[in-house]
Amino acid sequence: MKTGIISYGAGNVASVENALQRLGESSFVSSDINELLKADRLIFPGVGHAKMAMGALIEKGIDTFLKNYNRPVLGICLGMQLMGINSEEGETSALGLIDFEVKKFTTQLKVPHTGWNSISIATPNPLFKGIDSGTYFYFVHSYYAPLCSNTIATCNYGNEFSAAVCRNNYYGVQFHPEKSGDAGMQLIQNFFRL
Amino acid sequence: MLAKRIIPCLDVKNGRTVKGINFDNLLDMGDPVDLALEYCQQGADELVLLDITATLEGRSTFLKVVKNVAKAINIPFTVGGGISTVKQVEELLMCGADKVSLNTSVILYPKLITEIANQFGSQCAVVAIDTRLTPKGWEVVSHAGTRLTGKLAFDWAKECESFGAGEILLTSYTSDGTCKGFALDITGSISNALTIPVVASGGAGTLQHFVDVFKIGNADAALAAGVFHRGEIAIDELKEMLKLSGIPVRITHSCSLY
């Protein structure tokens, strides 16, 4: 079983690679859809600006590729946000894989929402096997996905938002499991066992 | 609820962790990778690695340490020490660091903060402010604490925020290494005035000092070195104590499955 890590110029994939190595999982990094097709599952990371990231995905044909993909995909942070319909960040349309619209935080609290916050499980899902409500994960983001019918875990920062979503083979987490200690490693391991 | 963070700091010289009092009398505290892993297992929320070697040779050793730490741990970490160019930042991030800490270079050229924030995001641009209580007030010191700059820490922190810093790491040289507690007044006035997180550093000696820096100093995170390296305070015990004091912290439970 091989995991493909989608690289499209939006952020550093080194920490995801390191996390997979610690778990002893074989993986490769690519932006080429012909290569990515060989993977058994994909991780779709992302740090950066939504509009610029969408531009890069379209240029490489990864947008259409992901829409037609039927094996498990895990979107992380911006990767999860781009699974939605659109984003206020750069007023861009997104991949439309899951029914939510990404908003900017309007709280009085310090933004970006940076640090460890606890999540609540909204709908039991194999992605959270062995992980309870109240577990802390590491977040860094200024935009969020509101609650929707595909929300499987929530988090509160001024308002409730989707900490994790799932629709069919598409999984997304707003936090960084690769930086979230043992709980994050558990979640990645769970993704491998889907 | 967003947790208050506990951050051990590792001063790295020639590939080893060292600790001194007011930067003198350096003692060997072990292999940074081993220490980093140990802190991670104790429940540290982040780590800071400072390169205190000033030689070119030391710098390439430090990059190797950063790479190895990134492979070993699964929590975020910040690196600092002598960073003065965007290129250096890129190198460190490629080695797996999550944030960089900037100090003397941005006092000389504050726009570097903006350049780094624009290229890599403000979340990775931490400005380390070293300060000492002088007749003028809390004054910023530079060049590893050896020079007074004439700037006040409060004003400089506000400036750093407007240049695009994502976090302030405030170290009181008046309290550093004394184990007599954090500088609560300046930490509080800066933290309350900024919209970015403030990490308090310098002076941690007891569990109560950490309670105070969160409750009175309103810090978002607390950094310490000596008390952790010498084993005087264990991070898991510290967090239990903070929790009992009503401070939100991440208590780590071992995961059984993975």
Side-chain angles (χ1 to χ4, degrees), chain A residues 42-138:
Chain A
L42 294 174
I43 292 185
F44 177 34
V47 175
H49 191 272
K51 190 178 180 133
M52 292 187 338
M54 269 313 289
L57 289 175
I58 291 165
E59 194 192 307
K60 295 181 161 64
I62 300 174
D63 58 330
T64 314
F65 168 76
L66 278 177
K67 285 176 198 173
N68 298 317
Y69 195 73
N70 55 19
R71 292 176 200 158
V73 188
L74 178 64
I76 297 175
C77 195
L78 180 62
M80 164 191 163
Q81 293 183 1
L82 293 178
M83 289 177 159
I85 306 290
N86 55 41
S87 172
E88 283 185 3
E89 188 175 26
E91 297 296 336
T92 181
S93 60
L95 297 168
L97 306 171
I98 304 183
D99 191 10
F100 61 78
E101 301 186 341
V102 175
K103 310 276 180 214
K104 190 169 176 40
F105 276 120
T106 52
T107 166
Q108 295 300 303
L109 300 170
K110 294 179 177 183
V111 174
H113 172 216
T114 307
W116 296 85
N117 207 334
S118 55
I119 57 118
S120 298
I121 309 287
T123 311
N125 188 288
L127 194 64
F128 284 95
K129 191 177 175 192
I131 300 169
D132 299 327
S133 283
T135 301
Y136 281 86
F137 286 92
Y138 188 77

Side-chain angles (χ1 to χ4, degrees), chain B residues 98-149:
Chain B
D98 298 280
K99 320 181 200 181
V100 293
S101 164
L102 310 157
N103 195 331
T104 300
S105 62
V106 294
I107 295 174
L108 302 172
Y109 180 62
K111 274 195 181 148
L112 180 62
I113 305 170
T114 316
E115 290 170 14
I116 292 167
N118 285 346
Q119 191 153 343
F120 309 105
S122 65
Q123 84 288 338
C124 80
V126 179
V127 178
I129 300 180
D130 294 341
T131 181
R132 177 178 288 163
L133 192 57
T134 71
K136 271 183 151 179
W138 285 98
E139 206 175 327
V140 178
V141 290
S142 69
H143 298 84
T146 56
R147 289 190 210 169
L148 287 171
T149 60

